[in-house]
Amino acid sequence: MPGVKMVTMKSRRANRRLAADASLLAVAAAFVLPLAWVVLSALDPHADLRVRVPDGLTFGNFDAVLTDEITFTPLLNSLILCGGGTLLTVVCAALAAYPLSRFRSRFNRPFLLTVLFATCLPITAIMVPVYALFVRVNLIDTMQGTIFFFAASQLPFAIWLMKNFMDGVPRELEEAAWTDGASAFQSLVRIVLPLMGPGVAVVTVFSFVMMWGNFFVPFMLLLTPDQMPASVSINDFFGNRGTVVYGQLAAFSVIYSTPVILLYVLVARKVGGGFALGGAVKG
C-alpha cells in the first residue's frame, strides 16, 4: 500500500533524526559539563569534583589566586611567549607561502608534502635532540629560545594554511601593482595580506591557541620558576600546594582562558567578513 509505505518511511526518518539528535546532545554534554564545572566551581566556596549549583556565591577563589606569584607573572610570561611566537610564525608563514602560491616550480609539491609531513611529527619525539641543541647554543632557560621553538613547531601548518588562503587572492591585482612599479614584497604587504585578512586572522588564532595551551615545551626548555608560563604554573595546584583546592583551580582556569576568548572576540568579525574580492577584478 502506497500510504503505508509513506508512513513507514516517515517513521524511519523520524527515528533516524531522533537518534542523530540524541547523539549530538551526548557529544555536546561531554563538552559542556567540564565548562559548567569550571564556571560553577570558581564561584563555589565548597567546590569539589561534582557539577552542582553552589549553595552560595563567592569571589574568594579569585581573590586567592590573583597574586603576582600565582597568576599575574605566569600570565605575563604566557603573553610574551605566545605573542612573540605567534608574530614570528605569521611573518615567516606569509614570507614562505608567497613564493609557493605565486611561482610555479617542480619543487613546490615536494616541499608542500614535506611541510604537511612535518605537521604530523609529535613534539615529544624531537624534544630530546632539541634540548641538547639548546644547551649547546646557550638557548636553554631563555624566553627567546622558547619563542623560536614555539614558532618552529607551528610554522609547517601555518605555511600550509597561509598558502591555501593566499591562492584565493587574484594575481591580476598584483600584476597591476607591478605595472606601477611595486616590488613583490610591496605587493605582498600592501595588496595580498590586506585582502586575505580573514586567512591571516585564522593563522594567528590557531597559532596563538596552540602555543597558549602547550605545557610540554616550556616545561622542558624553561628552568627558572619566574619564567614559567601559566600553562605550566597551573600544574602547581596539583603538586606543590598539597591538597587540590578545586575552587581556586577553577578560578585560575577561568582567568587563564580569558585571553584566548578575548582574541576570538577581537578577530571574529574579521574572520566572518569573508573575502570581499568580488568587485576587485573586472572581467
Side-chain angles (χ1 to χ4, degrees):
M1 299 289 291
V4 176
K5 291 183 178 180
M6 289 295 295
V7 172
T8 303
M9 292 179 61
K10 290 182 179 180
S11 177
R12 290 178 178 175
R13 290 177 182 174
N15 292 335
R16 292 174 182 173
R17 185 175 301 174
L18 181 62
D21 292 341
S23 301
L24 291 176
L25 286 175
V27 173
F31 286 94
V32 170
L33 287 178
L35 296 178
W37 179 87
V38 169
V39 175
L40 295 175
S41 298
L43 302 173
D44 190 350
H46 308 291
D48 52 25
L49 288 176
R50 294 177 295 174
V51 180
R52 64 177 184 178
V53 178
D55 299 331
L57 299 180
T58 180
F59 290 97
N61 294 322
F62 290 95
D63 292 337
V65 300
L66 287 176
T67 64
D68 290 337
E69 179 185 359
I70 298 176
T71 299
F72 295 123
T73 299
L75 279 180
L76 178 61
N77 293 336
S78 292
L79 290 174
I80 294 174
L81 290 173
C82 301
T86 300
L87 178 62
L88 187 60
T89 299
V90 172
V91 172
C92 293
L95 295 177
Y98 183 74
L100 293 173
S101 175
R102 289 301 187 253
F103 303 106
R104 303 303 175 192
S105 171
R106 61 179 180 176
F107 299 108
N108 280 12
R109 181 174 175 81
F111 181 79
L112 286 173
L113 291 177
T114 303
V115 168
L116 185 61
F117 171 75
T119 63
C120 304
L121 290 175
I123 292 181
T124 53
I126 61 175
M127 279 309 299
V128 172
V130 167
Y131 185 88
L133 175 64
F134 273 43
V135 170
R136 185 175 293 274
V137 297
N138 294 324
L139 284 178
I140 199 69
D141 196 28
T142 61
M143 300 288 279
Q144 61 268 26
T146 307
I147 289 174
F148 289 150
F149 186 76
F150 265 151
S153 62
Q154 296 301 320
L155 193 56
F157 194 68
I159 293 175
W160 186 270
L161 279 179
M162 193 77 76
K163 190 263 181 187
N164 290 332
F165 282 113
M166 202 170 288
D167 288 342
V169 179
R171 289 177 58 94
E172 290 82 354
L173 299 176
E174 290 181 84
E175 293 173 355
W178 294 339
T179 303
D180 293 336
S183 64
F185 181 77
Q186 289 175 330
S187 65
L188 170 64
V189 174
R190 298 180 181 180
I191 297 176
V192 178
L193 292 180
L195 290 177
M196 56 175 291
V200 176
V202 168
V203 175
T204 301
V205 172
F206 176 83
S207 301
F208 185 86
V209 171
M210 295 300 293
M211 296 177 192
W212 188 262
N214 195 307
F215 167 83
F216 190 68
V217 170
F219 181 75
M220 290 291 295
L221 299 182
L222 296 175
L223 307 177
T224 306
D226 292 340
Q227 292 183 334
M228 292 296 179
S231 60
V232 178
S233 66
I234 197 174
N235 185 57
D236 293 342
F237 287 96
F238 298 96
N240 299 337
R241 305 183 189 279
T243 303
V244 178
V245 183
Y246 292 105
Q248 295 181 16
L249 175 61
F252 182 85
S253 299
V254 171
I255 298 171
Y256 175 59
S257 303
T258 301
V260 175
I261 296 174
L262 291 178
L263 180 62
Y264 271 117
V265 172
L266 289 175
V267 304
R269 182 178 300 179
K270 190 79 173 178
V271 175
F275 295 93
L277 300 178
V281 182
K282 296 183 179 179

